[in-house]
Amino acid sequence: MSNVSAGFRLVRAGWVLVREGVVAALPGEELSGLPKFGWRMARLFTRRRALAYERSDRLAKAVVRLGPSYVKLGQFLATRPDVVGNDMALDLAMLQDKMHTFPKAEAIAAIEASLGRKVGDLYAQFGDPVAAASIAQVHAADAMHDGVATKVAVKVIRPGVRRRFFQDLESYFLAARLQEKYIPSSRRLRPVEVTQTLAQTTRIEMDLRLEAAALSELGESTRHDPGFRVPSVDWERTGRDVLTMEWVDGVKMNDIAGLVAAGHDLKTIATNLIQSFLRHTLRDGFFHADMHPGNLFVEANGTIVAVDLGIAGRLGKKERRFLAEILYGFITRDYLRVAEVHFEAGYVPRQHNVAAFAQAIRAIGEPIHGQPAETISMAKLLTLLFEVTELFDMATRPELILLQKTMVVVEGVARTLDPAFNMWKTAEPVVGDWISGNLGPRGMMMDARDGAKALLTLARQVPELAARTDRLSREIDLMAEHGLRFDETTAHAIGKAEARYSRSGRWALWVIAVTLVYIAWKMI
């Protein structure tokens, strides 16, 4: 029955997208056959007033009707332009995570259940909500520290939001399975795997202890950085459903008039923002992955304070070297080196030709060098680069796509502050410093040290590896002699899973068909 209810929720979501004109806004003229017929029918059922809105506005109205889980779905898909396309990803990135507040009494009940203490014992004063998003809302409060009342921000999970999210996730998984089964061309995008990533991301974001840990980690890595910080965490008043942190007094970065009125230098803020982001990415391999202007405050002294660290990105040392060498290669027009980095990192399969790949990279880089530096977008460069790599069978790298999405947002914020912003000139000190420290003699010594540690670890594991190899050899001999066999339990489980998969697909198709007939009958 869960598949039936998931099917109904899926049909309802599709109907809302049709009525709000989201489907009609897609480039349907390029379609043919049944998909084009469906697109034309969607245009007929679109609300007339919806046709006056831009596609991004239609998306915003649709997800508000569908609820908080669809806001998160949209924001997640904004990080996957490889799945939804660059234009749609940009529209989804503009979704505002603003929802109606829930009653203060429900927030108090959630806090007391999570921390096991009365709100009066935790806070000297607990105020009304000041902001609300899809997963949680924020209250202003006063907490006592050493007998002194300190203003804090208290983030509280929405009641029932986990149950609602997991119900909608069933619909997403059903849609992904049907897509993989009936649209073979979509299988390379791995829709079920994408949905699993969404589910994991959502679970992490709904445990506020993990967000607190991310704030703590980023706070430690940036404590000596000029002009950037994150709020400190009050661990005594933080649990699974509640996060208490330092209250931030500042001007939101999307309030340009407010920044000017406060006397801030917008060009300096833009430079500080980009250099801070690149520093976190290259130096630490850990960055705030939701740096839209609503999550960024500027304090009176010009320091940028980033809040809402529910989504964070990580890059390993190999990925950081990959990014730095690509950027430096484009700056110096060394396209062969850029191509070689892709092959060395294992991102492009070895059957392709390095010189041919370098030629494709040159097609991206040369037009850029004919433009003024302030008009060149680093985010657009990475977008074009990923488009080219698809031609050479480069597998999707979620960590690089999240980096690309964040860079698009951060660069957009910087250009809002300074329309003549020169991304390359601003990035060069950070990128150059990282390259000199990690790819020069000092970097080689660090690599040698890491290599020695890896060899020592491997040497310690030699006895265990030898025993495993011996067991594997014996099992292969038995397999060669008797063939590969499943035990009865495994065979039964495979048959049961296959039957369930086929049955869920049939149920979903019947539900969709009956619902569409009902909608058509009501319209007539």
Side-chain angles (χ1 to χ4, degrees):
M1 291 301 293
S2 62
N3 283 316
V4 175
S5 58
F8 273 113
R9 287 194 294 270
L10 201 58
V11 170
R12 174 184 174 271
W15 178 243
V16 170
L17 292 174
V18 167
R19 291 291 284 164
E20 294 298 337
V22 176
V23 178
L26 298 174
E29 295 294 348
E30 302 174 2
L31 301 174
S32 60
L34 191 60
K36 188 165 187 175
F37 173 76
W39 176 73
R40 285 177 173 170
M41 291 298 294
R43 295 192 59 159
L44 290 177
F45 290 124
T46 299
R47 294 179 191 273
R48 188 166 298 177
R49 66 173 181 268
L51 296 173
Y53 298 123
E54 295 292 332
R55 186 171 64 187
S56 58
D57 295 326
R58 299 182 192 184
L59 272 171
K61 291 181 180 296
V63 295
V64 166
R65 284 187 60 186
L66 289 170
S69 58
Y70 281 86
V71 174
K72 274 300 163 205
L73 173 64
Q75 292 177 332
F76 172 77
L77 290 177
T79 70
R80 298 301 303 268
D82 59 317
V83 174
V84 298
N86 291 317
D87 292 339
M88 183 61 74
L90 290 174
D91 287 341
L92 290 169
M94 296 172 66
L95 288 176
Q96 293 297 306
D97 197 358
K98 295 180 180 178
M99 307 293 290
H100 297 297
T101 60
F102 55 87
K104 178 180 174 181
E106 294 185 10
I108 291 175
I111 293 171
E112 292 180 344
S114 181
L115 300 180
R117 296 166 63 185
K118 293 292 184 182
V119 164
D121 297 333
L122 294 164
Y123 308 102
Q125 180 271 334
F126 187 78
D128 294 324
V130 295
S134 57
I135 287 180
Q137 71 181 23
V138 177
H139 294 255
D142 290 330
M144 300 300 294
H145 293 105
D146 299 325
V148 178
T150 305
K151 191 173 184 181
V152 292
V154 184
K155 187 174 183 178
V156 187
I157 287 286
R158 281 184 174 277
V161 72
R162 290 188 181 90
R163 177 180 54 80
R164 174 67 184 274
F165 263 81
F166 295 145
Q167 285 178 344
D168 286 335
L169 276 171
E170 289 181 355
S171 303
Y172 304 159
F173 275 111
L174 176 59
R177 289 194 297 268
L178 292 172
Q179 184 179 353
E180 279 197 356
K181 186 172 184 179
Y182 295 107
I183 309 176
S185 61
S186 70
R187 290 172 189 165
R188 72 175 185 85
L189 299 175
R190 303 172 182 172
V192 173
E193 187 176 311
V194 169
T195 309
Q196 288 170 342
T197 303
L198 169 64
Q200 177 65 13
T201 301
T202 304
R203 290 190 189 99
I204 291 173
E205 207 169 343
M206 287 186 186
D207 189 334
L208 296 183
R209 294 170 298 187
L210 299 181
E211 181 178 347
L215 283 168
S216 176
E217 181 178 350
L218 190 59
E220 286 184 7
S221 62
T222 62
R223 63 182 179 273
H224 299 303
D225 289 358
F228 183 93
R229 70 181 189 89
V230 293
S232 58
V233 175
D234 184 341
W235 285 102
E236 180 187 354
R237 296 169 178 84
T238 293
R240 180 172 179 245
D241 294 340
V242 55
L243 165 60
T244 303
M245 55 193 154
E246 168 194 1
W247 182 268
V248 177
D249 282 315
V251 182
K252 275 194 175 184
M253 206 171 282
N254 55 7
D255 183 5
I256 303 297
L259 292 172
V260 173
H264 293 296
D265 185 337
L266 300 188
K267 292 184 178 181
T268 301
I269 294 174
T271 299
N272 184 18
L273 177 65
I274 291 295
Q275 291 187 344
S276 295
F277 169 69
L278 289 174
R279 196 176 292 118
H280 307 159
T281 303
L282 293 174
R283 181 193 64 195
D284 308 322
F286 181 64
F287 58 92
H288 192 309
D290 195 17
M291 293 181 73
H292 64 76
N295 284 341
L296 300 171
F297 292 82
V298 182
E299 294 182 308
N301 63 357
T303 298
I304 297 172
V305 185
V307 301
D308 194 0
L309 199 49
I311 304 176
R314 291 189 183 275
L315 291 179
K317 188 173 183 179
K318 182 176 74 172
E319 285 76 24
R320 283 181 271 163
R321 177 174 295 180
F322 167 75
L323 175 65
E325 290 215 58
I326 282 179
L327 296 178
Y328 193 73
F330 274 106
I331 291 171
T332 60
R333 302 173 72 175
D334 189 351
Y335 305 119
L336 181 60
R337 181 57 192 153
V338 174
E340 289 172 347
V341 169
H342 280 76
F343 281 81
E344 290 171 5
Y347 294 153
V348 178
R350 289 288 177 182
Q351 69 263 23
H352 291 289
N353 184 275
V354 177
F357 188 55
Q359 179 183 351
I361 299 296
R362 181 180 291 273
I364 298 173
E366 283 304 296
I368 288 176
H369 284 281
Q371 301 178 29
E374 62 269 16
T375 66
I376 300 172
S377 167
M378 187 182 293
K380 185 176 181 181
L381 169 68
L382 290 178
T383 300
L384 292 172
L385 180 63
F386 292 149
E387 287 177 358
V388 166
T389 55
E390 285 183 14
L391 299 175
F392 290 83
D393 303 317
M394 177 174 165
T396 298
R397 307 289 304 188
E399 71 278 8
L400 296 180
I401 291 173
L402 183 59
L403 169 69
Q404 176 204 3
K405 172 258 181 184
T406 309
M407 190 171 287
V408 168
V409 174
V410 174
E411 187 176 5
V413 175
R415 291 191 187 277
T416 301
L417 296 170
D418 179 12
F421 181 74
N422 187 326
M423 183 69 173
W424 297 95
K425 183 177 180 181
T426 305
E428 197 279 331
V430 179
V431 176
D433 180 65
W434 191 89
I435 287 176
S436 63
N438 290 270
L439 302 183
R442 189 175 68 183
M444 293 175 66
M445 292 181 65
M446 292 172 62
D447 289 344
R449 183 194 63 191
D450 294 341
K453 286 183 179 179
L455 285 173
L456 181 60
T457 302
L458 183 61
R460 289 172 177 169
Q461 295 176 350
V462 165
E464 183 182 353
L465 290 173
R468 288 182 180 179
T469 302
D470 182 57
R471 287 197 301 270
L472 179 61
S473 177
R474 289 198 300 268
E475 289 173 3
I476 290 174
D477 288 341
L478 289 173
M479 194 183 302
E481 182 178 353
H482 301 291
L484 179 64
R485 297 184 179 183
F486 292 125
D487 60 28
E488 185 178 349
T489 304
T490 303
H492 179 71
I494 291 173
K496 187 176 180 180
E498 181 62 27
R500 184 171 61 250
Y501 181 80
S502 301
R503 186 167 59 250
S504 66
R506 289 195 298 272
W507 268 111
L509 290 174
W510 274 109
V511 167
I512 292 170
V514 171
T515 307
L516 289 176
V517 169
Y518 173 76
I519 291 171
W521 176 73
K522 292 291 286 185
M523 293 298 296
I524 294 172

